Amino acid sequence: MRGLAEQIELAIEWAGGLLTPRPRTPRLRPRAAPPASASPPPDRPRNSEPGTRNALVDRLLALRLPAFERITTHRNEQVMLSWVPGKVLRIHEGYAAAPDEVLRAIVRFVTPGVRRATRLAARRVFLGFPVDEHAPRPPRHGRPPRVAPQDRAAHERLVQLHAELNALHFGGALPEIPIRVSGRMRTRLGELRLDRRSGRPLHIGISRRHIRRDGWVSVTDTLLHEMVHQWQAETGVPVDHGRGFRKKAREVGIEPRAVRKDW
């Protein structure tokens, strides 16, 4: 288990929950203290938002949530909650509509010293609640993903590679899909993100570190790996690394195992 100074982020993918340790969020520049009349009650963490989100904070506190200096909410599609013990808790706004049973599971999950089995059982409970039905993310109106200036050349090459590999190995049957160069991936080389409700492919992500360190032969294999997952999603079969994946991976000429590298 990592130290308390590291943030633990719960990232939700189609196959289930994934815990990914993340560094502590950098400190913001201190601001002038607000007038005494504007100060929040002493039992409320700083920077909790108004309205229904304040109600969520109140309910969590009533259920004996551990002390946090700051609690904020969000509508991220993949991350349900993240926290730095004793410092920051970020939680999906949709949990404001959850029953107490679900909120109790969240409290158990972020409580220090809880047994691993108890934490895993709690995770299953709160991941089963459809937060996006109660606090959906605003539509993006089909806008393409933003590409950082340093990633433009790599992004263009990945888009072209996807088209070429689609024609060569899938008969051009795979639809175009947004491709992102990710600077956040540390142990994953690539990923296919799916809509959690419909199973529809959202985008393919490729690690920036992977591109810079391993070269385009390896990156091409990684892209093909994710395209096999895209093929699974488009044809309505489970998106996994089972027998069907391994068979298709061999057909397109890549190693069927999911490979991870330590950097």
Side-chain angles (χ1 to χ4, degrees):
M1 184 173 181
R2 297 181 179 267
L4 296 184
E6 296 191 8
Q7 181 179 10
I8 306 172
E9 181 179 81
L10 181 62
I12 309 306
E13 299 183 357
W14 177 249
L18 176 66
L19 288 175
T20 306
R22 296 183 56 77
R24 184 196 299 187
T25 305
R27 292 183 178 179
L28 301 177
R29 181 176 299 174
R31 298 180 178 180
S37 60
S39 299
D43 60 344
R44 174 177 294 284
R46 294 183 292 108
N47 295 338
S48 55
E49 294 85 348
T52 58
R53 290 171 284 186
N54 258 1
L56 172 58
V57 173
D58 289 338
R59 292 178 62 200
L60 288 170
L61 292 174
L63 294 170
R64 299 185 179 181
L65 180 75
F68 286 94
E69 294 178 5
R70 180 181 180 187
I71 299 177
T72 61
T73 60
H74 63 82
R75 295 193 179 192
N76 189 292
E77 294 175 342
Q78 301 296 329
V79 179
M80 299 298 99
L81 65 85
S82 61
W83 80 101
V84 178
K87 297 293 184 180
V88 180
L89 171 67
R90 296 183 67 253
I91 183 170
H92 197 287
E93 186 179 333
Y95 284 115
D100 283 353
E101 175 189 2
V102 173
L103 298 192
R104 287 193 187 97
I106 292 173
V107 170
R108 288 195 298 271
F109 190 80
V110 301
T111 297
V114 172
R115 295 172 55 187
R116 183 174 183 272
T118 301
R119 179 169 279 121
L120 291 177
R123 185 181 69 172
R124 287 192 293 269
V125 172
F126 71 76
L127 291 187
F129 183 76
V131 292
D132 45 358
E133 292 181 6
H134 300 279
R137 186 168 182 170
R140 298 179 182 179
H141 305 293
R143 291 181 298 175
R146 294 180 180 179
V147 180
Q150 69 269 29
D151 295 328
R152 286 174 183 166
H155 177 262
E156 291 176 1
R157 186 164 183 178
L158 286 169
V159 171
Q160 182 61 34
L161 265 177
H162 185 278
E164 293 173 357
L165 296 172
N166 187 17
L168 180 62
H169 296 293
F170 301 91
L174 297 182
E176 292 184 8
I177 187 171
I179 298 179
R180 300 182 178 183
V181 178
S182 172
R184 301 183 65 182
M185 293 184 189
R186 293 295 183 267
T187 58
R188 287 175 295 165
L189 307 183
E191 67 175 3
L192 174 70
R193 283 289 178 93
L194 303 175
D195 182 274
R196 293 188 298 114
R197 288 185 294 177
S198 68
R200 182 178 61 85
L202 297 176
H203 71 262
I204 288 175
I206 302 294
S207 166
R208 181 187 294 145
R209 287 189 175 193
H210 179 37
I211 295 172
R212 292 178 176 177
R213 297 189 182 195
D214 300 325
W216 282 97
V217 172
S218 180
V219 170
T220 298
D221 285 350
T222 299
L223 180 59
L224 260 177
H225 181 111
E226 304 310 328
M227 291 175 69
V228 173
H229 285 317
Q230 183 186 359
W231 169 81
Q232 289 178 308
E234 297 292 352
T235 54
V237 301
V239 179
D240 57 20
H241 294 103
R243 181 179 300 177
F245 173 88
R246 295 192 295 270
K247 180 176 183 294
K248 189 66 174 180
R250 294 188 185 98
E251 288 178 4
V252 303
I254 61 172
E255 170 61 49
R257 291 179 301 151
V259 178
R260 295 178 66 159
K261 293 191 176 181
D262 295 321
W263 286 323

